[in-house]
Amino acid sequence: MTIDHNLGLAEHAEQAEFAELTGPTGPQEGLLGHGSTAVAHPNIALIKYWGKRDERLVIPYVDSLSMTLDVFPTNTTVRLDPEAQADSVILDGRPAEGEPRRRVVLFLDLVREWAGRTERAAVDTRNAVPTGAGLASSASGFAALAVAATAAYGLDLDPTALSRLARRGSASASRSIFGGFALCHAGQGVGEAADLSSYAEPVPLPDFDPALVVALVNAGPKAVSSRAAMRRTVETSPLYQAWATSSKGDLTDMRAALLRGDLEAVGEIAERNALGMHATMLAARPAVRYLSPATVAVLDGVLQLRKDGVAAYATMDAGPNVKVLCHPEAAPRVAETLLAAAPGCSVLTARRGPGARLRTADER
């Protein structure tokens, strides 16, 4: 798959994805039905949260800060079915099974508990981004599910509570509730105190809008899931605590750089934070290695761009794919360089995107 890397593709991608969901004459019965439909976008963490101190409540070890993108939307519909004996979950056109289904049902159980309702639901979710490839599909997925499910069950939550709810599905989803830049608090204490204090909030930066060039070197699912990799890293990596401590300083530096609108400083901090996170994984026992030869080639391309005077900085999540921060006017050159560095990869240029929201009746 080759993705056009021209600026402005994001809007067309979202329109195409929604057209696929609705068809030429409106919503398809059994796909969108007449439930609540939400859209959310993935976010890329500039300061990572890697690792949970409470897996049941999904409480991260460290604060994180991210940029929500304007590409790769997830569209999710939740329709209540009072006659059903179990929830049905459709993921990318197919019935979900195993762990993906379990996570959605557990999330719906939580929504029902908060809402005081018991009806089962039919969930249909479509990712425009490859699922499980380290491109934040869980962030957009659970943010969209949180918005659609609360609407379907009549649960009226403020943004903080909605972010807390989304976090229970995926810690990064708490940030996709908001557009632009968002900070997720790791929370204080344990149990209910931690749950109440771990949420995301927007970071107002109206004039800072860098480009993020995504190099998709492998769209396939990861061999080791993020959850399993986090657990192994936290439990076995001798580098983990040192990285978690340094990440606090990275966050302080990042917030100051963002307020200055200093892309070079933002990029340097994001790159060191991401490479440090991958170092903790490489030191896990056994090691978790997401970096492929193509990943390294792309990283080398980013270094060459900087040697040539182009401000370009890499960040990576749990996967082989690389995201490169740069000034918008440099994005075409960055994309061309990445394609040359790793022939066969795909590139897409993203900008800051919107928060999660319900689709209106007219859109459906």
Side-chain angles (χ1 to χ4, degrees), residues 282-346:
L282 288 171
R285 300 172 184 180
V288 178
R289 188 175 76 90
Y290 288 123
L291 281 65
S292 69
T295 304
V296 175
V298 170
L299 293 175
D300 287 344
V302 173
L303 287 175
Q304 187 60 50
L305 282 165
R306 290 210 292 269
K307 289 179 181 178
D308 295 340
V310 178
Y313 302 88
T315 185
M316 294 171 292
D317 293 307
N321 303 302
V322 184
K323 301 88 180 179
V324 182
L325 275 167
C326 63
H327 292 289
E329 59 272 19
R333 180 174 176 182
V334 170
E336 181 180 355
T337 299
L338 302 187
L339 284 170
C345 81
S346 303

Side-chain angles (χ1 to χ4, degrees), residues 3-12 70-71 209-214 326-333 335 347-352:
I3 303 175
D4 189 348
H5 59 270
N6 291 329
L7 293 171
L9 179 63
E11 180 179 357
H12 300 294
D70 63 351
V71 297
D209 187 15
L212 191 77
V213 181
V214 180
C326 63
H327 292 289
E329 59 272 19
R333 180 174 176 182
V347 295
L348 174 69
T349 297
R351 301 290 288 274
R352 56 189 290 172

Side-chain angles (χ1 to χ4, degrees), residues 88-353:
S88 67
V89 182
I90 302 297
L91 175 60
D92 294 334
R94 297 182 179 181
E97 300 177 349
E99 183 65 9
R101 172 183 165 76
R102 186 190 73 85
R103 291 178 67 185
V104 171
V105 172
L106 282 176
F107 192 85
L108 291 173
D109 286 342
L110 181 63
V111 174
R112 284 187 281 260
E113 178 185 336
W114 284 23
R117 303 279 292 269
T118 60
E119 302 98 320
R120 295 296 174 177
V123 176
D124 193 296
T125 187
R126 300 290 178 103
N127 290 315
V129 63
T131 302
L135 290 166
S137 61
S138 64
S140 57
F142 277 100
L145 181 59
V147 172
T150 53
Y153 282 99
L155 188 59
D156 186 17
L157 300 180
D158 63 31
T160 296
L162 187 61
S163 177
R164 284 180 51 234
L165 175 64
R167 190 203 75 235
R168 295 289 293 271
S170 168
S172 57
S174 67
R175 302 185 306 250
S176 277
I177 294 298
F178 304 102
F181 296 87
L183 169 67
C184 180
H185 300 282
Q188 303 295 322
V190 297
E192 183 180 1
D195 184 32
L196 290 173
S197 58
S198 182
Y199 57 88
E201 61 182 348
V203 178
L205 295 166
D207 299 323
F208 189 66
D209 187 15
L212 191 77
V213 181
V214 180
L216 185 64
V217 303
N218 189 337
K222 302 183 292 261
V224 181
S225 71
S226 294
R227 287 193 165 197
M230 284 184 194
R231 187 180 304 117
R232 186 189 305 176
T233 302
V234 171
E235 292 177 353
T236 71
S237 175
L239 302 184
Y240 181 76
Q241 289 302 326
W243 174 81
T245 298
S246 69
S247 191
K248 296 177 182 178
D250 287 345
L251 178 61
T252 299
D253 294 344
M254 177 64 76
R255 297 192 72 175
L258 286 169
L259 288 173
R260 297 195 307 270
D262 186 345
L263 182 134
E264 287 76 8
V266 167
E268 288 176 2
I269 299 162
E271 186 169 287
R272 78 191 187 206
N273 187 265
L275 291 176
M277 181 188 76
H278 278 268
T280 69
M281 289 184 261
L282 288 171
R285 300 172 184 180
V288 178
R289 188 175 76 90
Y290 288 123
L291 281 65
S292 69
T295 304
V296 175
V298 170
L299 293 175
D300 287 344
V302 173
L303 287 175
Q304 187 60 50
L305 282 165
R306 290 210 292 269
K307 289 179 181 178
D308 295 340
V310 178
Y313 302 88
T315 185
M316 294 171 292
D317 293 307
N321 303 302
V322 184
K323 301 88 180 179
V324 182
L325 275 167
C326 63
H327 292 289
E329 59 272 19
R333 180 174 176 182
V334 170
E336 181 180 355
T337 299
L338 302 187
L339 284 170
C345 81
S346 303
V347 295
L348 174 69
T349 297
R351 301 290 288 274
R352 56 189 290 172

